[in-house]
Amino acid sequence: MLYKINEIFETLQGEGSFTGQPSIFIRLQGCPVGCSWCDTKHTWETKPDLAIPVNDLLAKSEESEHWSELSVDGIAKLFVEQNYQAKHVVITGGEPCMFDLTPLCAALESRGYSTQIETSGTFEVNTTEKCWVTVSPKVNMRGGYKVLSQAMQRANEIKHPVATEQHVDDLKALLAEHQVTDKQVYLQPISQKQRATELAINTCIENNWRLSVQVHKYIGIE
């Protein structure tokens, strides 16, 4: 199994249940969902002429559409070569669930890592039983993809971006449609603007949900 990767880096997880956890991020290339506020639009397309060697991928100093292809063993070997200390791996994108992530997560877990997937919920989640799945459901996006019941049921947490009351209404309708009542729900302001943050805070209090504020953006890390 080969995975198309936009970047691999070590940092702190800034969102959701694992906020503050040292983590290795694997950002996969490719996503057709089309979120208007996406902050990783450089991962949307997989252009064959932008494939680069792994060493060039690791040397990237800014966001780009360049990507490399790595096997499961290649990824695990790279972690050792880079002397990464974190034992938590976050697989994100792009849309990571366009890939079957079971081989990757199983291999990493067998080597002592915990795994987490961050997905839009618009593709079926194929992973190990132990993997922590964060569904950040994307409703009525440009790509026209629907949030799947399988993804909502597999989720360990629901982390929903919000800026307006409509976003809150969309989430409540989604939870009701898929009969999700036993998941931890996080609201995440789409920007650091006061209006979006206040909406998220008030809604969390009203519904006994939690706030996720993208700590990495406030402290200025990747």
Side-chain angles (χ1 to χ4, degrees):
M1 185 74 186
L2 296 174
Y3 295 94
K4 294 176 172 59
I5 298 173
N6 180 273
E7 57 181 337
I8 296 178
F9 57 95
E10 187 177 45
T11 185
L12 298 179
Q13 170 62 285
E15 305 176 2
S17 297
F18 291 95
T19 295
Q21 175 81 39
S23 304
I24 303 166
F25 276 73
I26 302 174
R27 188 178 303 284
L28 300 181
Q29 188 76 16
C31 182
V33 179
C35 304
S36 59
W37 63 80
C38 178
D39 57 4
T40 57
K41 291 182 179 179
H42 58 286
T43 67
W44 284 9
E45 295 186 52
T46 306
K47 300 175 181 177
D49 60 324
L50 294 181
I52 57 175
V54 174
N55 287 341
D56 291 346
L57 181 82
L58 295 172
K60 284 203 299 185
S61 59
E62 58 185 21
E63 294 179 351
S64 78
E65 293 182 273
H66 291 91
W67 57 275
S68 296
E69 200 165 51
L70 278 169
S71 67
V72 170
D73 287 342
I75 292 169
K77 182 180 178 182
L78 184 149
F79 287 2
V80 175
E81 291 173 345
Q82 295 299 304
N83 196 31
Y84 291 147
Q85 298 301 302
K87 291 298 181 182
H88 184 67
V89 180
V90 182
I91 305 167
T92 185
E95 174 42 68
C97 289
M98 292 173 64
F99 297 85
D100 180 357
L101 299 172
T102 307
L104 177 57
C105 291
L108 292 175
E109 289 163 7
S110 72
R111 290 168 168 82
Y113 296 94
S114 58
T115 59
Q116 178 184 2
I117 295 168
E118 296 183 339
T119 174
S120 65
T122 58
F123 286 79
E124 186 169 328
V125 181
N126 293 302
T127 189
T128 58
E129 184 177 345
K130 291 181 179 179
C131 180
W132 183 274
V133 176
T134 301
V135 172
S136 183
K138 301 304 188 291
V139 181
N140 297 327
M141 294 296 123
R142 187 178 69 186
Y145 288 81
K146 300 292 185 182
V147 176
L148 303 181
S149 182
Q150 187 270 352
M152 292 292 287
Q153 298 303 325
R154 177 59 183 83
N156 295 98
E157 65 181 3
I158 308 293
K159 179 166 59 68
H160 192 60
V162 294
T164 67
E165 291 284 357
Q166 183 60 55
H167 295 140
V168 176
D169 292 343
D170 288 343
L171 174 59
K172 289 181 176 179
L174 199 63
L175 295 174
E177 176 186 353
H178 298 293
Q179 299 181 341
V180 174
T181 59
D182 60 343
K183 312 291 184 184
Q184 182 60 63
V185 176
Y186 285 85
L187 292 189
Q188 186 164 285
I190 287 176
S191 67
Q192 284 74 50
K193 293 181 180 178
Q194 184 176 354
R195 181 170 176 265
T197 303
E198 288 181 351
L199 171 64
I201 291 170
N202 293 334
T203 306
C204 284
I205 293 172
E206 291 170 3
N207 294 276
N208 197 29
W209 294 340
R210 297 185 185 182
L211 183 70
S212 177
V213 293
Q214 294 185 293
V215 168
H216 55 292
K217 292 187 177 181
Y218 281 95
I219 63 178
I221 61 174
E222 190 170 9

